[in-house]
Amino acid sequence: MKEVLFKYKDQKITKDYIISALNELGLKQGEDLMVHSGLREIGKLADIKDGNKLGNTIIDLMIDVIDPGTLIFPVYSYSFCNKEEFNPEESLSTVGALTNIFWKRKDSIRSIHPIFSVAAIGKNAGYYTEINNNVCFGKGTFFDRLVKSRVKVLGFGTRLAAALTLLHHTEQMNNVPYRYIKSFEGNIRTGNTVKKEKFEYFVRNLDMDTYFRLDKIETFLSEHNAFKSVPFGGSRMDIVESSKVFDLLSKEMQKNPFFLVRNED
């Protein structure tokens, strides 16, 4: 009998179910993939009660689906924003339980970024986790490489448009007027070495209504064949290709800098 990972109403979600959904979304072997995840709304835990075992089962499944591609997870700690020291071997991710399981694996490499750290497994892991400058978004950053490499981005059990950090990179590259550069300082500890650093973050203006219009973004990308979604238990799986999202939205933002955050009249 096949192992059931989640149960939702009368639905049994197995590894084969997840693989079938990923295939339906167009994911192929050899592709690099970034995953934003949320497990709570998928369904109740079934045959695997241990969180670490369940998480690694899901991670191993994804690695197998894209092999020999590279798997990437956001492991954002926001350490400097919270006036905390950043330690890549200890600082926890704040963006989901699965992300902490991922970066703690022995086959995972984590970037030394005190705000938007990412972790990766695969042949291109070193490329995606290299830090070339002390900024969060823009040229030479992880998100710049994400776009240039045409990495696919998956929402696994979560609404991707609400979690898609790539949108902030797109905002900065298009110099939107409702965000501005703010510097955050703190210590980075690697082994026995502690170094004080300053990182720049393109933050939103809290005095303005700058929340993403999620329905509008999803509809626009869908109309341009740049967004796919399938039901997944009590939640969903969404997928986009990073360069398509960046190019399509940049074109609109050049005409209307508020395209992401305001509905049309």
Side-chain angles (χ1 to χ4, degrees):
M1 184 177 292
K2 293 182 179 179
E3 201 167 43
V4 178
L5 306 186
F6 301 96
K7 287 183 179 179
Y8 177 72
K9 296 183 178 179
D10 296 330
Q11 192 176 42
K12 295 181 179 179
I13 298 174
T14 63
K15 290 170 63 176
D16 286 346
Y17 177 101
I18 296 174
I19 292 170
S20 177
L22 293 174
N23 290 335
E24 185 178 346
L25 289 172
L27 195 60
K28 298 179 176 63
Q29 283 192 310
E31 292 183 317
D32 292 346
L33 176 70
M34 182 176 185
V35 181
H36 293 276
S37 59
L39 305 183
R40 290 183 180 180
E41 296 182 6
I42 299 171
K44 294 181 179 179
L45 299 185
D47 293 341
I48 303 177
K49 304 297 185 183
D50 180 82
N52 282 318
K53 183 178 179 182
L54 176 63
N56 280 302
T57 297
I58 294 170
I59 292 166
D60 287 337
L61 178 157
M62 292 180 176
I63 291 172
D64 289 343
V65 168
I66 65 170
D67 183 64
T70 299
L71 185 62
I72 309 162
F73 270 74
V75 289
Y76 310 154
S77 66
Y78 299 101
S79 297
F80 279 15
C81 300
N82 297 322
K83 299 181 180 180
E84 298 171 349
E85 179 180 270
F86 177 72
N87 184 334
E89 297 181 358
E90 294 183 4
S91 296
L92 294 177
S93 167
T94 64
V95 288
L98 192 57
T99 65
N100 281 309
I101 294 171
F102 186 83
W103 76 260
K104 291 180 180 180
R105 288 173 57 118
K106 292 182 179 180
D107 54 352
S108 176
I109 299 175
R110 185 178 188 180
S111 65
I112 306 176
H113 196 295
I115 300 175
F116 289 103
S117 176
V118 299
I121 296 174
K123 64 179 182 179
N124 295 324
Y127 168 71
Y128 290 121
T129 56
E130 182 181 6
I131 300 296
N132 296 317
N133 50 38
N134 286 20
V135 297
C136 295
F137 313 118
K139 292 182 179 180
T141 64
F142 160 74
F143 295 98
D144 191 33
R145 277 168 268 161
L146 191 79
V147 171
K148 290 179 178 177
S149 300
R150 301 180 182 275
V151 174
K152 286 189 174 179
V153 186
L154 176 73
F156 185 84
T158 192
R159 188 176 189 180
L160 180 58
L164 192 58
T165 325
L166 171 63
L167 297 180
H168 297 318
H169 169 72
T170 308
E171 288 174 315
Q172 179 160 344
M173 292 294 285
N174 288 280
N175 195 31
V176 295
Y178 53 85
R179 283 183 172 263
Y180 64 96
I181 297 292
K182 183 176 180 178
S183 294
F184 293 86
E185 295 184 2
N187 291 329
I188 296 178
R189 181 182 297 273
T190 51
N192 295 321
T193 303
V194 178
K195 187 176 181 181
K196 188 171 184 178
E197 296 279 8
K198 179 188 293 185
F199 276 70
E200 292 184 350
Y201 180 4
F202 197 50
V203 299
R204 65 187 182 92
N205 185 338
L206 298 178
D207 294 327
M208 300 176 69
D209 178 6
T210 58
Y211 290 100
F212 290 140
R213 298 320 194 240
L214 302 180
D215 289 342
K216 175 186 177 182
I217 293 169
E218 288 177 352
T219 299
F220 172 80
L221 293 175
S222 295
E223 289 173 346
H224 290 80
N225 299 313
F227 175 89
K228 291 182 180 180
S229 182
V230 295
F232 182 34
S235 187
R236 57 200 277 182
M237 280 194 219
D238 304 335
I239 200 165
V240 299
E241 198 257 75
S242 53
S243 65
K244 285 185 179 180
V245 171
F246 179 82
D247 291 343
L248 285 167
L249 294 180
S250 291
K251 185 177 180 180
E252 294 302 312
M253 292 163 72
Q254 287 299 311
K255 295 183 289 185
N256 173 15
F258 294 92
F259 180 78
L260 296 179
V261 297
R262 291 181 184 171
N263 290 319
E264 307 304 326
D265 295 328

